[in-house]
Amino acid sequence: MSPATVPEVTTYRYVRGSLLALLLALAVSVALETLAHGWQTSISSYYYTAAGPVFIAALSAIGVCLIALRGGTDAEDVCLNLAGISAPMVAFVPTPEIGHVPDVPAITNNAATFLGVLAVGYVVVAFRLLRRPGGVGRWNLVGLGSVALAWAVGCAWLAIDRHSFAAHAHALAAIFTFVPFAGVVVLNTDWGVRVIAREGRVSRTRFDAAYWVVLVGMGAVCLVGLALWQWRYALVATEIGVLVLFAVFWVLQTIDLLDLRRDLA
């Protein structure tokens, strides 16, 4: 590795490590609040507790990390970006809770600010992709189209019915944060790289089996959560299980990518 690439590699590793630190901060804050006042019905419900500021800060920073990180393939990069643009909206639009009246003006301000910044970032990224010598790839087009659609839906929804947006946007953003997580895991398996991302490589990872175990575990956690849906704490248990498994994947992938020259290419 040439000396010129060392700062970039170091920065890449720090960003990956920062995401784990943010997940740990969220876990510690939620644990402290739970020990003090008992369980909430979802991680998002901690927004209304003393853990609220950490919840907002962690999700916002996690979103930035996910967007800043470059995936090993264009397909993985799209999933990271989709999760990244969704995570802050989960924080800015709180989950509806009985006894808590949504602060619609604050939600409108935060969501509109985020959508405005997202539009600027989108233009910059699109301009860079269009100037790329090799042209815009298939997965880049999928990413640009998905983000544009999400942005348009968000803007229209917010403009037409702010109260409906305040009541339901959180759930939609949460789905589009968690689902790409699973996509990232799939796209790091050998099968995902060759078949979905179409990289044409025979072998990419030494943790292929472990990634599949994580993916199956995520699916099993979700199925158990659905089966126990009548249980008051089914959602928070499901969310914790998925996040723990994603953290395990993130640690394994970080080890897998110790040689980051291919990610900087």
Side-chain angles (χ1 to χ4, degrees):
M1 183 177 296
S2 66
T5 64
V6 172
E8 288 83 356
V9 171
T10 302
T11 300
Y12 185 89
R13 289 173 177 167
Y14 283 175
V15 174
R16 290 191 65 88
S18 295
L19 191 144
L20 287 173
L22 290 164
L23 285 175
L24 178 60
L26 180 60
V28 171
S29 184
V30 166
L32 290 174
E33 175 61 25
T34 301
L35 289 172
H37 299 102
W39 287 100
Q40 301 295 316
T41 55
S42 69
I43 293 178
S44 297
S45 297
Y46 285 88
Y47 174 96
Y48 299 103
T49 70
V54 173
F55 173 81
I56 296 171
L59 281 178
S60 299
I62 286 171
V64 173
C65 289
L66 291 171
I67 294 171
L69 285 168
R70 176 67 172 86
T73 62
D74 286 341
E76 182 188 352
D77 200 46
V78 168
C79 286
L80 289 172
N81 289 338
L82 289 177
I85 67 170
S86 302
M89 196 64 80
V90 174
F92 298 153
V93 184
T95 184
E97 286 284 333
I98 298 174
H100 296 278
V101 179
D103 189 344
V104 176
I107 291 172
T108 301
N109 176 283
N110 295 342
T113 298
F114 178 69
L115 290 169
V117 173
L118 180 61
V120 174
Y122 182 90
V123 171
V124 172
V125 172
F127 180 73
R128 287 192 61 197
L129 287 175
L130 290 173
R131 295 189 60 188
R132 180 182 289 183
V136 182
R138 177 171 61 96
W139 281 106
N140 293 135
L141 288 174
V142 170
L144 289 173
S146 300
V147 173
L149 179 61
W151 181 86
V153 169
C155 288
W157 194 2
L158 191 62
I160 294 171
D161 192 343
R162 295 185 301 166
H163 291 275
S164 173
F165 184 92
H168 303 292
H170 175 91
L172 188 62
I175 291 172
F176 282 99
T177 301
F178 278 98
V179 171
F181 281 175
V184 171
V185 180
V186 172
L187 289 164
N188 274 272
T189 63
D190 188 64
W191 177 83
V193 171
R194 290 184 293 102
V195 177
I196 300 179
R198 296 184 182 178
E199 286 290 306
R201 304 179 215 173
V202 176
S203 179
R204 175 178 182 267
T205 174
R206 50 181 160 158
F207 291 127
D208 188 68
Y211 291 158
W212 281 113
V213 170
V214 169
L215 186 64
V216 171
M218 286 180 170
V221 167
C222 292
L223 289 175
V224 171
L226 287 173
L228 300 176
W229 196 249
Q230 298 301 317
W231 180 41
R232 176 177 173 81
Y233 302 110
L235 180 56
V236 69
T238 301
E239 291 173 333
I240 290 173
V242 171
L243 286 175
V244 167
L245 286 168
F246 183 77
V248 170
F249 159 77
W250 201 256
V251 171
L252 290 174
Q253 189 194 35
T254 299
I255 297 171
D256 205 13
L257 298 177
L258 285 178
D259 179 3
L260 297 176
R261 283 175 291 183
R262 66 185 177 214
D263 297 273
L264 296 173

